Amino acid sequence: MKLLAIIFILIIFAILLVIISIGQMRSAGINVKDFWSFIKANENLDSLYRFAKKYDQMSPQEQIIYLSEAEKLFDAFDKIPQTVWEDEYNKYSEILDTYRDIKVMRWNEAQEYALTKSKVKIKPKEIKIENE
């Protein structure tokens, strides 16, 4: 009977802790869903950080995957106040810099490709020499 009472008290205590933490998140202006996506993105932060260190060695497919994963990470981190994740700011900043570098590199490649495709061949005008 005592064991059952202890288990019941522990369950009530755990429920109260969850309710209090949800209240704290809401008072900080954070939705539970946004906080959960932040936790998932924070798990991916380290792997993206490792990729950010070697982005110049990535294939185009890996760059596309990196860009999409980084965008998900940025969306999740934007919904949470910076004070919550300020310890991870250096990693976030490195990922953001790599994201920008890849975007600029891909944009330059697209512009070069567009310029090479849109070359117009100019034919010289035929000059007729009339004999007098």
Side-chain angles (χ1 to χ4, degrees), residues 64-86:
I64 291 171
I65 292 169
Y66 178 87
L67 292 175
S68 67
E69 290 298 318
E71 287 172 358
K72 291 177 190 175
L73 179 104
F74 299 146
D75 288 340
F77 273 63
D78 286 342
K79 295 175 183 174
I80 303 298
Q82 187 174 356
T83 56
V84 174
W85 54 272
E86 65 187 6

Side-chain angles (χ1 to χ4, degrees), residues 7-132:
I7 291 173
F8 182 73
I9 291 172
L10 289 176
I11 290 173
I12 295 295
F13 184 69
I15 292 172
L16 285 174
L17 284 176
V18 169
I19 291 171
I20 290 170
S21 61
I22 290 173
Q24 290 290 328
M25 284 191 297
R26 290 196 179 180
S27 68
I30 303 170
N31 293 334
V32 175
K33 183 179 176 183
D34 294 341
F35 191 72
W36 187 252
S37 66
F38 168 74
I39 291 172
K40 288 181 180 179
N42 205 9
E43 292 172 358
N44 293 333
L45 182 71
D46 291 329
S47 62
L48 282 177
Y49 181 69
R50 284 192 299 272
F51 276 113
K53 297 244 182 228
K54 58 179 182 173
Y55 80 93
D56 52 340
Q57 300 170 355
M58 287 185 206
S59 68
Q61 291 83 8
E62 289 173 330
Q63 288 177 352
I64 291 171
I65 292 169
Y66 178 87
L67 292 175
S68 67
E69 290 298 318
E71 287 172 358
K72 291 177 190 175
L73 179 104
F74 299 146
D75 288 340
F77 273 63
D78 286 342
K79 295 175 183 174
I80 303 298
Q82 187 174 356
T83 56
V84 174
W85 54 272
E86 65 187 6
D87 296 340
E88 302 292 337
Y89 182 76
N90 291 335
K91 291 180 183 179
Y92 180 86
S93 175
E94 181 75 25
I95 291 169
L96 181 61
D97 290 342
T98 302
Y99 176 84
R100 288 180 188 153
D101 291 344
I102 292 173
K103 280 289 216 183
V104 167
M105 184 175 60
R106 292 181 64 79
W107 183 82
N108 285 337
E109 289 173 357
Q111 293 303 315
E112 289 175 8
Y113 180 75
L115 288 175
T116 59
K117 285 296 254 187
S118 66
K119 287 184 180 176
V120 177
K121 295 182 180 179
I122 301 174
K123 293 182 183 178
K125 197 173 193 180
E126 293 183 19
I127 302 174
K128 294 182 182 180
I129 301 177
E130 295 180 23
N131 291 337
E132 296 179 23

